[in-house]
Amino acid sequence: ATRNCQLATLRLSEKFILLLILSAFITLCFGAFFFLPDNSKWSYMDREVMTSTDTGKDQQLLRDKIRADHERALQEAKEKLRKSREELQAEIQTEKNKVMEDLKKTNAGPKPLPPVPMPRVVGINDGEPPEPDVKEKRDKIREMMKHAWDSYRQYGWGYNELKPLAKKGHSTNIFGNSQLGATIVDALDTLYIMGLHEEFKDGQEWIEQNLDFSVNAEVSVFEVNIRFIGGLLAAYYLSGQEVFKLKAVQLAEKLLPAFNTPTGIPWAMVNLKSGVGRNWGWASAGSSILAEFGTLHMEFVHLTYLTGNPAYYQKVMHIRKLLAKMDRPNGLYPNYLNPRTGRWGQHHTSVGGLGDSFYEYLLKAWLMSDKTDTEARKTYDDAIEAIERHLIRKSNGGLTFIGEWKNGHLERKMGHLACFAGGMFALGADGSPDDKAGHYLQLGAEIAHTCHESYDRTVLKLGPEAFKFDSGLEAVAVRQNEKYYILRPEVIETYWYMWRFTHDPKYRQWGWEAAQAIDKYCRVSGGFSGVKDVYSSTPTYDDVQQSFFLAETLKYLYLLFSSDDLMPLESWVFNTEAHPLPVLHLGNITLPGSEPAQR
Ligand code: DMJ
């Protein structure tokens, strides 16, 4: 065995030596080819080429090309070798950057959206009233908008809001710690409707270049939806500029993780970067808020319409279905719902803060669907009936008010926010059951009157945040922390709807009173500010110009002094931040994911 092994080893080493000789020979041949003078090589190749073709001209061209390529490659190599190490490194870096840029363009670029027919967009220009005195008022409102915008442009540009006294940017926790230019997005459609096109273009440019939602910020899902998605969609429908649609969709995608809860009821807040959601610490037992998770429908239906992605529609319909299955104390919807357990939190019902726009969006879902979403209409009618029975009362002085229901007890207090309901009742009058259209229009008028009283009974002629109907008090605030006015729109919003449905001149009169009071007491050189006490003749300012002042308050005032053909209510439905979205003729269109729900 040992001998055999030795023989095998010997045979192996012989083989190895033979292999070595062979490879040395091959290397020699190659070397000879490369080290031979150029001429001898080319003549060999020429011969080869000549024998394989007959056309001498073509062969010459081919030879020239090969020669030129060879020369160029040699030249490039020489130049590279002459370059310093730094130059070479810089070149490599430039190449790398280019590759990265190309990669970014292909990966992170906005996904193209499917083309969908543009809904009918009518009445978006002009609206000049025939009466010269009304036109004058309208011009004044446009001037106020200019002052609010220009001040923000000068002192707060890119920040969410403006501090008009400190003359610098401002933000609140609803936008996380981000600077998302909330005022720009919120104001765009008002600028457009007022014909302030230069300002609109300026805002559009900022959005194109700066609005980026890949930020580590924990934002309010509701606020971002109504102000940003609503604002961007309205700007898109009015101007037709694709950028607004793309930004709205990018943002909406970032909100979707908020729905990852055991019930599908979204968290109040979501981190735009991580997608982690949570609820407000102050909300009853970790609950989500009715007016927040119930105020997504309009924007989300439009998102599904524009993207073809059924997810948005399905999310909001899931919320609706879940609510429909739940027991409601006295037929009322409590403001708090736990997204983990799917159970109501504290039994507190209000048409003001925490509840308000949930009811508004039921009605508007029906209007926005060209009145085909009858499920939404029915839910609205039932909810309003319960509200009328349990929350709406007449004061001793004859003022109709909407109180708040707290664990079986009616608190005779109405918030400024609840004043929007006058407009909602009027808007929902047509189409209400049992021929109650007249009744709801009347109810709208009574709420408008009460809210006007809450303004008229103050020193500044501006309404307090909340007012009572108790112990001889009628429509006045009692507690110091309820006496402020922060440029809110709700009362003016109701005046506008009432004006559209009745043309009673008192609504224009009341709107003008409010506009004058705002101009007199809230205007400062750096914009408009909220005031801390509407009962004090020497106003102290809160130093915030809220973005909704430009989105809503000034827009509703402007529309109040315009003719009805501007933004006709048959074609447009205003979201809760006054961003107009066109009616979708859902009788003729099937939304992706909507098939069973529409029947
Ligand atoms: C706005 O952001 C919206 O109208 C919302 O529905 C509640 N109120 C504020 C303005 O007061």
Side-chain angles (χ1 to χ4, degrees), residues 222-223 226-227 356-357 360 417 488-490 493 548 552 576-577:
F222 158 77
E223 296 288 357
I226 65 168
R227 298 188 200 214
D356 47 10
S357 42
E360 176 185 357
L417 289 164
R488 284 200 192 278
E490 292 77 17
E493 175 181 349
F548 55 65
E552 299 192 71
T576 193
E577 187 79 359

mmCIF file with all atom_site columns, all heavy atoms in Angstrom, residues 222-223 226-227 356-357 360 417 488-490 493 548 552 576-577, ligand 1:
data_model
loop_
_atom_site.group_PDB
_atom_site.id
_atom_site.type_symbol
_atom_site.label_atom_id
_atom_site.label_alt_id
_atom_site.label_comp_id
_atom_site.label_asym_id
_atom_site.label_entity_id
_atom_site.label_seq_id
_atom_site.pdbx_PDB_ins_code
_atom_site.Cartn_x
_atom_site.Cartn_y
_atom_site.Cartn_z
_atom_site.occupancy
_atom_site.B_iso_or_equiv
_atom_site.pdbx_formal_charge
_atom_site.auth_seq_id
_atom_site.auth_comp_id
_atom_site.auth_asym_id
_atom_site.auth_atom_id
_atom_site.pdbx_PDB_model_num
ATOM   1   N N   . PHE A 1 222 ? -56.350 63.628 12.842 1.00 0.00 ? 222 PHE A N   1
ATOM   2   C CA  . PHE A 1 222 ? -57.508 64.446 12.483 1.00 0.00 ? 222 PHE A CA  1
ATOM   3   C C   . PHE A 1 222 ? -57.089 65.803 11.908 1.00 0.00 ? 222 PHE A C   1
ATOM   4   O O   . PHE A 1 222 ? -57.528 66.199 10.823 1.00 0.00 ? 222 PHE A O   1
ATOM   5   C CB  . PHE A 1 222 ? -58.379 64.627 13.739 1.00 0.00 ? 222 PHE A CB  1
ATOM   6   C CG  . PHE A 1 222 ? -59.302 65.808 13.714 1.00 0.00 ? 222 PHE A CG  1
ATOM   7   C CD1 . PHE A 1 222 ? -60.474 65.771 12.969 1.00 0.00 ? 222 PHE A CD1 1
ATOM   8   C CD2 . PHE A 1 222 ? -59.016 66.962 14.446 1.00 0.00 ? 222 PHE A CD2 1
ATOM   9   C CE1 . PHE A 1 222 ? -61.335 66.868 12.956 1.00 0.00 ? 222 PHE A CE1 1
ATOM   10  C CE2 . PHE A 1 222 ? -59.869 68.047 14.437 1.00 0.00 ? 222 PHE A CE2 1
ATOM   11  C CZ  . PHE A 1 222 ? -61.033 68.007 13.686 1.00 0.00 ? 222 PHE A CZ  1
ATOM   12  N N   . GLU A 1 223 ? -56.221 66.508 12.623 1.00 0.00 ? 223 GLU A N   1
ATOM   13  C CA  . GLU A 1 223 ? -55.835 67.856 12.186 1.00 0.00 ? 223 GLU A CA  1
ATOM   14  C C   . GLU A 1 223 ? -55.101 67.814 10.853 1.00 0.00 ? 223 GLU A C   1
ATOM   15  O O   . GLU A 1 223 ? -55.320 68.648 9.980  1.00 0.00 ? 223 GLU A O   1
ATOM   16  C CB  . GLU A 1 223 ? -54.954 68.542 13.235 1.00 0.00 ? 223 GLU A CB  1
ATOM   17  C CG  . GLU A 1 223 ? -55.635 68.813 14.569 1.00 0.00 ? 223 GLU A CG  1
ATOM   18  C CD  . GLU A 1 223 ? -56.680 69.928 14.526 1.00 0.00 ? 223 GLU A CD  1
ATOM   19  O OE1 . GLU A 1 223 ? -56.857 70.555 13.468 1.00 0.00 ? 223 GLU A OE1 1
ATOM   20  O OE2 . GLU A 1 223 ? -57.334 70.147 15.567 1.00 0.00 ? 223 GLU A OE2 1
ATOM   21  N N   . ILE A 1 226 ? -57.764 67.108 8.107  1.00 0.00 ? 226 ILE A N   1
ATOM   22  C CA  . ILE A 1 226 ? -58.681 68.181 7.684  1.00 0.00 ? 226 ILE A CA  1
ATOM   23  C C   . ILE A 1 226 ? -57.928 69.384 7.110  1.00 0.00 ? 226 ILE A C   1
ATOM   24  O O   . ILE A 1 226 ? -58.403 70.032 6.195  1.00 0.00 ? 226 ILE A O   1
ATOM   25  C CB  . ILE A 1 226 ? -59.645 68.619 8.817  1.00 0.00 ? 226 ILE A CB  1
ATOM   26  C CG1 . ILE A 1 226 ? -58.888 69.260 9.998  1.00 0.00 ? 226 ILE A CG1 1
ATOM   27  C CG2 . ILE A 1 226 ? -60.504 67.458 9.280  1.00 0.00 ? 226 ILE A CG2 1
ATOM   28  C CD1 . ILE A 1 226 ? -59.793 69.967 10.996 1.00 0.00 ? 226 ILE A CD1 1
ATOM   29  N N   . ARG A 1 227 ? -56.735 69.671 7.665  1.00 0.00 ? 227 ARG A N   1
ATOM   30  C CA  . ARG A 1 227 ? -56.022 70.872 7.187  1.00 0.00 ? 227 ARG A CA  1
ATOM   31  C C   . ARG A 1 227 ? -55.142 70.569 5.977  1.00 0.00 ? 227 ARG A C   1
ATOM   32  O O   . ARG A 1 227 ? -55.169 71.297 4.985  1.00 0.00 ? 227 ARG A O   1
ATOM   33  C CB  . ARG A 1 227 ? -55.145 71.453 8.304  1.00 0.00 ? 227 ARG A CB  1
ATOM   34  C CG  . ARG A 1 227 ? -55.956 71.894 9.500  1.00 0.00 ? 227 ARG A CG  1
ATOM   35  C CD  . ARG A 1 227 ? -55.105 72.632 10.509 1.00 0.00 ? 227 ARG A CD  1
ATOM   36  N NE  . ARG A 1 227 ? -55.744 72.620 11.812 1.00 0.00 ? 227 ARG A NE  1
ATOM   37  C CZ  . ARG A 1 227 ? -55.676 73.603 12.696 1.00 0.00 ? 227 ARG A CZ  1
ATOM   38  N NH1 . ARG A 1 227 ? -54.982 74.682 12.434 1.00 0.00 ? 227 ARG A NH1 1
ATOM   39  N NH2 . ARG A 1 227 ? -56.282 73.504 13.863 1.00 0.00 ? 227 ARG A NH2 1
ATOM   40  N N   . ASP A 1 356 ? -68.424 67.389 17.418 1.00 0.00 ? 356 ASP A N   1
ATOM   41  C CA  . ASP A 1 356 ? -68.930 68.208 16.300 1.00 0.00 ? 356 ASP A CA  1
ATOM   42  C C   . ASP A 1 356 ? -68.861 67.635 14.874 1.00 0.00 ? 356 ASP A C   1
ATOM   43  O O   . ASP A 1 356 ? -69.872 67.299 14.269 1.00 0.00 ? 356 ASP A O   1
ATOM   44  C CB  . ASP A 1 356 ? -68.293 69.614 16.334 1.00 0.00 ? 356 ASP A CB  1
ATOM   45  C CG  . ASP A 1 356 ? -66.776 69.608 16.526 1.00 0.00 ? 356 ASP A CG  1
ATOM   46  O OD1 . ASP A 1 356 ? -66.172 68.526 16.455 1.00 0.00 ? 356 ASP A OD1 1
ATOM   47  O OD2 . ASP A 1 356 ? -66.190 70.689 16.737 1.00 0.00 ? 356 ASP A OD2 1
ATOM   48  N N   . SER A 1 357 ? -67.657 67.503 14.357 1.00 0.00 ? 357 SER A N   1
ATOM   49  C CA  . SER A 1 357 ? -67.562 67.199 12.920 1.00 0.00 ? 357 SER A CA  1
ATOM   50  C C   . SER A 1 357 ? -67.905 65.743 12.581 1.00 0.00 ? 357 SER A C   1
ATOM   51  O O   . SER A 1 357 ? -68.053 65.416 11.400 1.00 0.00 ? 357 SER A O   1
ATOM   52  C CB  . SER A 1 357 ? -66.187 67.578 12.374 1.00 0.00 ? 357 SER A CB  1
ATOM   53  O OG  . SER A 1 357 ? -65.182 67.202 13.277 1.00 0.00 ? 357 SER A OG  1
ATOM   54  N N   . GLU A 1 360 ? -71.284 66.318 11.291 1.00 0.00 ? 360 GLU A N   1
ATOM   55  C CA  . GLU A 1 360 ? -71.119 67.078 10.048 1.00 0.00 ? 360 GLU A CA  1
ATOM   56  C C   . GLU A 1 360 ? -70.723 66.159 8.886  1.00 0.00 ? 360 GLU A C   1
ATOM   57  O O   . GLU A 1 360 ? -71.261 66.262 7.777  1.00 0.00 ? 360 GLU A O   1
ATOM   58  C CB  . GLU A 1 360 ? -70.012 68.133 10.290 1.00 0.00 ? 360 GLU A CB  1
ATOM   59  C CG  . GLU A 1 360 ? -69.630 68.961 9.097  1.00 0.00 ? 360 GLU A CG  1
ATOM   60  C CD  . GLU A 1 360 ? -68.441 69.888 9.403  1.00 0.00 ? 360 GLU A CD  1
ATOM   61  O OE1 . GLU A 1 360 ? -67.962 69.911 10.562 1.00 0.00 ? 360 GLU A OE1 1
ATOM   62  O OE2 . GLU A 1 360 ? -67.992 70.578 8.472  1.00 0.00 ? 360 GLU A OE2 1
ATOM   63  N N   . LEU A 1 417 ? -67.608 76.313 19.282 1.00 0.00 ? 417 LEU A N   1
ATOM   64  C CA  . LEU A 1 417 ? -67.491 75.271 18.251 1.00 0.00 ? 417 LEU A CA  1
ATOM   65  C C   . LEU A 1 417 ? -68.857 74.733 17.837 1.00 0.00 ? 417 LEU A C   1
ATOM   66  O O   . LEU A 1 417 ? -69.082 74.408 16.671 1.00 0.00 ? 417 LEU A O   1
ATOM   67  C CB  . LEU A 1 417 ? -66.614 74.125 18.764 1.00 0.00 ? 417 LEU A CB  1
ATOM   68  C CG  . LEU A 1 417 ? -65.117 74.429 18.894 1.00 0.00 ? 417 LEU A CG  1
ATOM   69  C CD1 . LEU A 1 417 ? -64.435 73.377 19.761 1.00 0.00 ? 417 LEU A CD1 1
ATOM   70  C CD2 . LEU A 1 417 ? -64.456 74.490 17.529 1.00 0.00 ? 417 LEU A CD2 1
ATOM   71  N N   . ARG A 1 488 ? -61.863 82.070 15.632 1.00 0.00 ? 488 ARG A N   1
ATOM   72  C CA  . ARG A 1 488 ? -62.622 80.895 15.171 1.00 0.00 ? 488 ARG A CA  1
ATOM   73  C C   . ARG A 1 488 ? -63.680 81.269 14.123 1.00 0.00 ? 488 ARG A C   1
ATOM   74  O O   . ARG A 1 488 ? -64.241 82.362 14.149 1.00 0.00 ? 488 ARG A O   1
ATOM   75  C CB  . ARG A 1 488 ? -63.316 80.221 16.358 1.00 0.00 ? 488 ARG A CB  1
ATOM   76  C CG  . ARG A 1 488 ? -62.410 79.411 17.246 1.00 0.00 ? 488 ARG A CG  1
ATOM   77  C CD  . ARG A 1 488 ? -63.247 78.433 18.058 1.00 0.00 ? 488 ARG A CD  1
ATOM   78  N NE  . ARG A 1 488 ? -62.497 77.811 19.143 1.00 0.00 ? 488 ARG A NE  1
ATOM   79  C CZ  . ARG A 1 488 ? -61.688 76.766 18.987 1.00 0.00 ? 488 ARG A CZ  1
ATOM   80  N NH1 . ARG A 1 488 ? -61.506 76.253 17.798 1.00 0.00 ? 488 ARG A NH1 1
ATOM   81  N NH2 . ARG A 1 488 ? -61.075 76.242 20.039 1.00 0.00 ? 488 ARG A NH2 1
ATOM   82  N N   . PRO A 1 489 ? -64.032 80.284 13.267 1.00 0.00 ? 489 PRO A N   1
ATOM   83  C CA  . PRO A 1 489 ? -64.954 80.567 12.152 1.00 0.00 ? 489 PRO A CA  1
ATOM   84  C C   . PRO A 1 489 ? -66.423 80.189 12.373 1.00 0.00 ? 489 PRO A C   1
ATOM   85  O O   . PRO A 1 489 ? -67.276 80.615 11.603 1.00 0.00 ? 489 PRO A O   1
ATOM   86  C CB  . PRO A 1 489 ? -64.405 79.648 11.053 1.00 0.00 ? 489 PRO A CB  1
ATOM   87  C CG  . PRO A 1 489 ? -63.894 78.456 11.806 1.00 0.00 ? 489 PRO A CG  1
ATOM   88  C CD  . PRO A 1 489 ? -63.376 78.979 13.125 1.00 0.00 ? 489 PRO A CD  1
ATOM   89  N N   . GLU A 1 490 ? -66.742 79.356 13.365 1.00 0.00 ? 490 GLU A N   1
ATOM   90  C CA  . GLU A 1 490 ? -68.039 78.637 13.359 1.00 0.00 ? 490 GLU A CA  1
ATOM   91  C C   . GLU A 1 490 ? -69.264 79.528 13.237 1.00 0.00 ? 490 GLU A C   1
ATOM   92  O O   . GLU A 1 490 ? -70.240 79.160 12.546 1.00 0.00 ? 490 GLU A O   1
ATOM   93  C CB  . GLU A 1 490 ? -68.168 77.743 14.603 1.00 0.00 ? 490 GLU A CB  1
ATOM   94  C CG  . GLU A 1 490 ? -67.203 76.560 14.626 1.00 0.00 ? 490 GLU A CG  1
ATOM   95  C CD  . GLU A 1 490 ? -65.775 76.919 14.992 1.00 0.00 ? 490 GLU A CD  1
ATOM   96  O OE1 . GLU A 1 490 ? -65.570 78.024 15.549 1.00 0.00 ? 490 GLU A OE1 1
ATOM   97  O OE2 . GLU A 1 490 ? -64.852 76.121 14.712 1.00 0.00 ? 490 GLU A OE2 1
ATOM   98  N N   . GLU A 1 493 ? -69.439 80.862 9.756  1.00 0.00 ? 493 GLU A N   1
ATOM   99  C CA  . GLU A 1 493 ? -69.785 79.724 8.884  1.00 0.00 ? 493 GLU A CA  1
ATOM   100 C C   . GLU A 1 493 ? -71.306 79.555 8.847  1.00 0.00 ? 493 GLU A C   1
ATOM   101 O O   . GLU A 1 493 ? -71.905 79.411 7.774  1.00 0.00 ? 493 GLU A O   1
ATOM   102 C CB  . GLU A 1 493 ? -69.122 78.467 9.455  1.00 0.00 ? 493 GLU A CB  1
ATOM   103 C CG  . GLU A 1 493 ? -69.453 77.169 8.773  1.00 0.00 ? 493 GLU A CG  1
ATOM   104 C CD  . GLU A 1 493 ? -68.734 75.976 9.455  1.00 0.00 ? 493 GLU A CD  1
ATOM   105 O OE1 . GLU A 1 493 ? -67.841 76.194 10.306 1.00 0.00 ? 493 GLU A OE1 1
ATOM   106 O OE2 . GLU A 1 493 ? -69.087 74.830 9.141  1.00 0.00 ? 493 GLU A OE2 1
ATOM   107 N N   . PHE A 1 548 ? -56.516 78.259 10.724 1.00 0.00 ? 548 PHE A N   1
ATOM   108 C CA  . PHE A 1 548 ? -57.922 78.196 10.291 1.00 0.00 ? 548 PHE A CA  1
ATOM   109 C C   . PHE A 1 548 ? -58.544 79.579 10.082 1.00 0.00 ? 548 PHE A C   1
ATOM   110 O O   . PHE A 1 548 ? -59.602 79.683 9.467  1.00 0.00 ? 548 PHE A O   1
ATOM   111 C CB  . PHE A 1 548 ? -58.778 77.332 11.235 1.00 0.00 ? 548 PHE A CB  1
ATOM   112 C CG  . PHE A 1 548 ? -58.751 77.699 12.705 1.00 0.00 ? 548 PHE A CG  1
ATOM   113 C CD1 . PHE A 1 548 ? -59.251 78.896 13.169 1.00 0.00 ? 548 PHE A CD1 1
ATOM   114 C CD2 . PHE A 1 548 ? -58.245 76.799 13.635 1.00 0.00 ? 548 PHE A CD2 1
ATOM   115 C CE1 . PHE A 1 548 ? -59.250 79.216 14.521 1.00 0.00 ? 548 PHE A CE1 1
ATOM   116 C CE2 . PHE A 1 548 ? -58.229 77.094 14.995 1.00 0.00 ? 548 PHE A CE2 1
ATOM   117 C CZ  . PHE A 1 548 ? -58.737 78.317 15.440 1.00 0.00 ? 548 PHE A CZ  1
ATOM   118 N N   . GLU A 1 552 ? -60.691 79.254 6.995  1.00 0.00 ? 552 GLU A N   1
ATOM   119 C CA  . GLU A 1 552 ? -62.128 79.238 7.215  1.00 0.00 ? 552 GLU A CA  1
ATOM   120 C C   . GLU A 1 552 ? -62.745 80.626 7.414  1.00 0.00 ? 552 GLU A C   1
ATOM   121 O O   . GLU A 1 552 ? -63.628 81.030 6.666  1.00 0.00 ? 552 GLU A O   1
ATOM   122 C CB  . GLU A 1 552 ? -62.447 78.405 8.465  1.00 0.00 ? 552 GLU A CB  1
ATOM   123 C CG  . GLU A 1 552 ? -62.024 76.959 8.363  1.00 0.00 ? 552 GLU A CG  1
ATOM   124 C CD  . GLU A 1 552 ? -62.620 76.134 9.493  1.00 0.00 ? 552 GLU A CD  1
ATOM   125 O OE1 . GLU A 1 552 ? -63.830 75.898 9.481  1.00 0.00 ? 552 GLU A OE1 1
ATOM   126 O OE2 . GLU A 1 552 ? -61.864 75.742 10.401 1.00 0.00 ? 552 GLU A OE2 1
ATOM   127 N N   . THR A 1 576 ? -64.558 70.088 7.049  1.00 0.00 ? 576 THR A N   1
ATOM   128 C CA  . THR A 1 576 ? -64.742 70.798 8.317  1.00 0.00 ? 576 THR A CA  1
ATOM   129 C C   . THR A 1 576 ? -63.736 71.932 8.507  1.00 0.00 ? 576 THR A C   1
ATOM   130 O O   . THR A 1 576 ? -63.866 72.739 9.415  1.00 0.00 ? 576 THR A O   1
ATOM   131 C CB  . THR A 1 576 ? -64.716 69.821 9.507  1.00 0.00 ? 576 THR A CB  1
ATOM   132 O OG1 . THR A 1 576 ? -65.188 70.499 10.673 1.00 0.00 ? 576 THR A OG1 1
ATOM   133 C CG2 . THR A 1 576 ? -63.311 69.274 9.751  1.00 0.00 ? 576 THR A CG2 1
ATOM   134 N N   . GLU A 1 577 ? -62.734 72.017 7.647  1.00 0.00 ? 577 GLU A N   1
ATOM   135 C CA  . GLU A 1 577 ? -61.764 73.113 7.689  1.00 0.00 ? 577 GLU A CA  1
ATOM   136 C C   . GLU A 1 577 ? -62.043 74.080 6.525  1.00 0.00 ? 577 GLU A C   1
ATOM   137 O O   . GLU A 1 577 ? -61.192 74.848 6.119  1.00 0.00 ? 577 GLU A O   1
ATOM   138 C CB  . GLU A 1 577 ? -60.345 72.522 7.609  1.00 0.00 ? 577 GLU A CB  1
ATOM   139 C CG  . GLU A 1 577 ? -59.208 73.490 7.814  1.00 0.00 ? 577 GLU A CG  1
ATOM   140 C CD  . GLU A 1 577 ? -58.898 73.865 9.248  1.00 0.00 ? 577 GLU A CD  1
ATOM   141 O OE1 . GLU A 1 577 ? -59.585 73.390 10.171 1.00 0.00 ? 577 GLU A OE1 1
ATOM   142 O OE2 . GLU A 1 577 ? -57.955 74.659 9.458  1.00 0.00 ? 577 GLU A OE2 1
HETATM 143 C C1  . DMJ B 2 .   ? -61.206 73.970 12.758 1.00 0.00 ? 1   DMJ B C1  1
HETATM 144 O O1  . DMJ B 2 .   ? -59.943 73.413 12.702 1.00 0.00 ? 1   DMJ B O1  1
HETATM 145 C C2  . DMJ B 2 .   ? -62.216 72.992 12.248 1.00 0.00 ? 1   DMJ B C2  1
HETATM 146 O O2  . DMJ B 2 .   ? -63.366 73.687 11.949 1.00 0.00 ? 1   DMJ B O2  1
HETATM 147 C C3  . DMJ B 2 .   ? -62.534 71.915 13.251 1.00 0.00 ? 1   DMJ B C3  1
HETATM 148 O O3  . DMJ B 2 .   ? -63.596 71.082 12.831 1.00 0.00 ? 1   DMJ B O3  1
HETATM 149 C C4  . DMJ B 2 .   ? -62.866 72.461 14.606 1.00 0.00 ? 1   DMJ B C4  1
HETATM 150 N N1  . DMJ B 2 .   ? -62.586 73.823 14.754 1.00 0.00 ? 1   DMJ B N1  1
HETATM 151 C C5  . DMJ B 2 .   ? -61.476 74.444 14.170 1.00 0.00 ? 1   DMJ B C5  1
HETATM 152 C C6  . DMJ B 2 .   ? -61.605 75.937 14.163 1.00 0.00 ? 1   DMJ B C6  1
HETATM 153 O O4  . DMJ B 2 .   ? -62.278 76.453 15.240 1.00 0.00 ? 1   DMJ B O4  1
#
